Amino acid sequence: MPALIIIDEWLLNDLYGNNDDNQEKALRFIVRLAKTSDKIVILHNSPFEAKMFRFIKMSENNNLLNSLSKLFHNSIVRNSSKTLFLNEEDLKPIPPKLLKLIPEDDVYLFQAHLSVKDSFILTSDERWPQKLVQHKSIKVLMRDAFLKKYLKV
């Protein structure tokens, strides 16, 4: 069964090269994702999508970043078998008790997750409370642990 992965902005930060080791892992993640039946989930008009478009624009004058940007955009984002796009009207509301635990700038990730059956959030964000990460209706995987397994295959 293909994985439905909701990725926060770590992927774009890593592709940008804020950490060379993570940039290489992000590249390997994209290549592996392209070869599998797994998909990413992107909410239109979300912080992730806005950052993705900024990354594309910022990479125009840098050959390496331009190549990474094109690879991600052409092999994943523009490929309907690799990306599931959601619109605001596709989102289910978050229960109020759960909403209180979610940092405001990350609400869109959890809305997408709760709206896409069998999905999970892949993050590097360690500031989320354990009560949220371990909630029975939420599946969150940490980037480093996930990539260690995902990239091994």
Side-chain angles (χ1 to χ4, degrees), residues 6 8 15 20 24 27 29 44-45 59 67 73 96 107 109 114-116 124-125 128 132-133 137 140 147 149-150 153:
I6 298 161
D8 68 6
L15 285 173
D20 288 340
E24 187 254 336
L27 170 60
F29 171 74
H44 281 302
N45 301 313
S59 70
S67 295
H73 198 252
V107 168
L109 297 167
L114 293 172
S115 302
V116 178
S124 63
D125 197 333
W128 295 345
L132 172 62
V133 172
S137 65
V140 174
L147 290 181
K149 291 178 183 175
Y150 196 74
V153 177

Side-chain angles (χ1 to χ4, degrees), residues 133-145:
V133 172
Q134 295 174 347
H135 193 277
K136 65 182 180 195
S137 65
I138 301 294
K139 184 173 181 182
V140 174
L141 300 178
M142 297 306 293
R143 174 198 63 198
D144 292 342

Side-chain angles (χ1 to χ4, degrees), residues 8 12 16-17 23 25 43 82 95 113 119 123 139 141 146:
D8 68 6
L12 301 167
Y16 192 71
Q23 185 179 48
K25 286 178 186 171
L43 174 63
K82 298 277 103 203
H113 172 51
S119 68
T123 188
K139 184 173 181 182
L141 300 178
F146 175 82

Side-chain angles (χ1 to χ4, degrees), residues 22-120:
N22 286 346
Q23 185 179 48
E24 187 254 336
K25 286 178 186 171
L27 170 60
R28 289 177 51 215
F29 171 74
I30 291 169
V31 170
R32 170 98 171 98
L33 180 65
K35 293 178 180 178
T36 68
S37 59
D38 300 338
K39 287 185 175 192
I40 62 169
V41 178
I42 298 176
L43 174 63
H44 281 302
N45 301 313
S46 67
F48 180 90
E49 187 178 58
K51 192 169 208 167
M52 179 181 69
F53 289 131
R54 279 195 309 275
F55 175 68
I56 291 168
K57 185 73 176 150
M58 290 169 36
S59 70
E60 290 175 352
N61 296 323
N62 179 307
N63 289 339
L64 174 61
L65 294 181
N66 195 358
S67 295
L68 293 172
S69 171
K70 284 181 179 179
L71 175 68
F72 177 59
H73 198 252
N74 294 332
S75 65
I76 306 298
V77 177
R78 296 183 69 200
N79 183 342
S80 63
S81 70
K82 298 277 103 203
T83 301
L84 172 64
F85 280 102
L86 298 177
N87 294 306
E88 286 285 328
E89 58 269 12
D90 299 323
L91 300 178
K92 294 180 180 175
I94 297 175
K97 284 184 180 179
L98 189 56
L99 186 59
K100 289 179 187 176
L101 300 172
I102 303 170
E104 190 175 327
D105 58 336
D106 294 327
V107 168
Y108 79 98
L109 297 167
F110 290 88
Q111 283 180 300
H113 172 51
L114 293 172
S115 302
V116 178
K117 188 177 183 310
D118 297 324
S119 68
F120 63 89

